[in-house]
Amino acid sequence: MSESKPARKQQQRSIVTQLKLLDAAIDAFSENGFKGTSTRDIADRAGVHHPLITYHFKNKEQLWRAAADRIFREFNISLVKAMAEVPEIDPRARAATFIRTYVHFAHGQPALHKIILQESSHPTSRLDWLIKNHLRPLFEEVVKSLKELQALGVAPPGDPALLFNMIRVSAGGLLALAVEIKGTSNLDLDSEAALDELSEMIIRCFLPGEMPARH
Amino acid sequence: MSESKPARKQQQRSIVTQLKLLDAAIDAFSENGFKGTSTRDIADRAGVHHPLITYHFKNKEQLWRAAADRIFREFNISLVKAMAEVPEIDPRARAATFIRTYVHFAHGQPALHKIILQESSHPTSRLDWLIKNHLRPLFEEVVKSLKELQALGVAPPGDPALLFNMIRVSAGGLLALAVEIKGTSNLDLDSEAALDELSEMIIRCFLPGEMPARH
DNA sequence: GTCTATAATTAGATAGAC
DNA sequence: GTCTATCTAATTATAGAC
């Protein structure tokens, strides 16, 4: 089939272009927000001509959604992979693994939290979409485990939704501020050791109780 | 002096215009960031003609600085006032008052944290200015008290700079996400009761130890 | 102190050649 | 699938009348 070969070649190049645009979009949107980034800036970062954005993603809004999808899809893959290695019967170890995974992923991909921050500054249709498609499903699963840990006396008492959000901002929210924290606190959050220290500090503050011995 | 009266009247109006522009700028910049907000948007929100921005503040950058100055000046006033009422000799009570004051101020003026978030998304000259003029002075004072609390066993051990930033994001950083948190966690952070609960939860997690009895 | 008019730049999106 | 050219609208900033 002599006509299938060039067709595949074109498809491959198309995928590469799309990935370059998505990575550039993630960077630009997390730096300057939706309104603050121009499609020209994204195209320049990706090294492609700006009308290609319309071609591949229709418009700025659809490109934003595709970029958000990419971030959360990769996060979920990391999460599922990490959680698969912890025994179901030890909820504290599972929570600790969740925190460590979240911290390490948010360091490598700070856009995970930055995109949320940018969109949460005021109500938008993009925020509604983000909540419905990515944030709520994750929240509901995690808060279930957190209630369990509170019942066991491992996590401190109080509204579990509040506790979840405190943990979340202490991890991703703190790492999203890395540039500022380096400047004001002289704290370098770029080393593996610093990430471990942050993870352990979060566990120490939010999961202070020991697991009760099983009979 | 018949010529001083119209002069004062003009000065008064000028001040009102400047304040309206500053409030509008605070809202707009915290919603859309520096790049994402247009001076026209700010002028529209303030209900004044947009060339007045150039007249009163020279340019967008100077208006941003004046807006940031206004937020931090008011926060410092609130802080000094609240801290003056707590006895010097009880560092835990002082820290608790700091947290409650921060939470309540950040609720009324979420721009306090949002402006920082917007500028911390990547290095800018504005962030450098913010760190030098507002963030570092505050940080250095608070971290001193935090070290004291760690020595007393009230605050958990670990890097005090890390602890400070965890507390900060759990208060201001969480409130900056209020719109999103309402959507995903169904948690309404607008009531006095919710703010008190958040404050107490922060105190519970980050200042878990009792004050040792004084001899 | 206020306003209109406008210059110069940059934005998102499209049309059509290749 | 890629590119040039271009349209329309919106941007920051300034000049100058009142």
Side-chain angles (χ1 to χ4, degrees), chain B residues 22 24 28 38 40 43 54 64 73 90 93 95 102 137 143 161 169-170 172 178 180 190 198 208 211:
Chain B
L22 284 174
S38 67
R40 271 185 159 80
T54 323
W64 182 90
R73 199 180 326 116
D90 190 346
Y102 186 22
V143 108
V169 295
S170 293
E180 182 257 308
D190 262 333
L198 173 59
M211 279 291 290

Side-chain angles (χ1 to χ4, degrees), chain A residues 109-176:
Chain A
Q109 182 60 287
L112 177 71
H113 202 93
K114 286 185 181 180
I115 294 271
I116 301 171
L117 286 172
Q118 294 282 5
E119 293 305 323
S120 301
S121 58
H122 62 136
T124 64
S125 59
R126 292 181 300 281
L127 180 59
D128 292 339
W129 178 90
L130 206 57
I131 290 170
K132 185 175 175 296
N133 291 280
H134 294 296
L135 300 178
R136 236 186 191 291
L138 184 65
F139 166 78
E140 280 166 4
E141 204 191 309
V142 177
V143 107
K144 217 183 291 174
S145 315
L146 212 48
K147 281 181 185 168
E148 212 182 319
L149 286 162
Q150 287 184 310
L152 290 167
V154 173
D159 189 327
L162 199 55
L163 196 59
F164 165 74
N165 281 293
M166 285 172 65
I167 294 172
R168 187 165 75 105
V169 295
S170 293
L174 195 144
L175 287 167

Side-chain angles (χ1 to χ4, degrees), chain B residues 37-40 50 54 60:
Chain B
T37 80
S38 67
T39 52
R40 271 185 159 80
H50 70 94
T54 323
K60 194 179 168 181

Side-chain angles (χ1 to χ4, degrees), chain A residues 18-77:
Chain A
Q18 287 183 33
L19 287 178
K20 282 196 289 187
L21 279 170
L22 284 174
D23 284 336
I26 289 169
D27 287 347
F29 284 135
S30 42
E31 281 181 18
N32 298 315
F34 185 80
K35 253 192 105 176
T37 81
S38 67
T39 53
R40 276 182 158 80
D41 178 23
I42 294 170
D44 286 349
R45 287 174 194 244
V48 305
H49 289 80
H50 77 266
L52 281 178
I53 287 177
T54 322
Y55 178 76
H56 286 291
F57 296 98
K58 188 181 170 184
N59 58 30
K60 194 178 169 181
E61 179 99 15
Q62 293 303 315
L63 172 58
W64 183 90
R65 292 195 183 187
D69 274 336
R70 181 166 157 79
I71 297 169
F72 280 90
R73 200 180 324 116
E74 290 189 351
F75 175 59
N76 281 323
I77 291 169

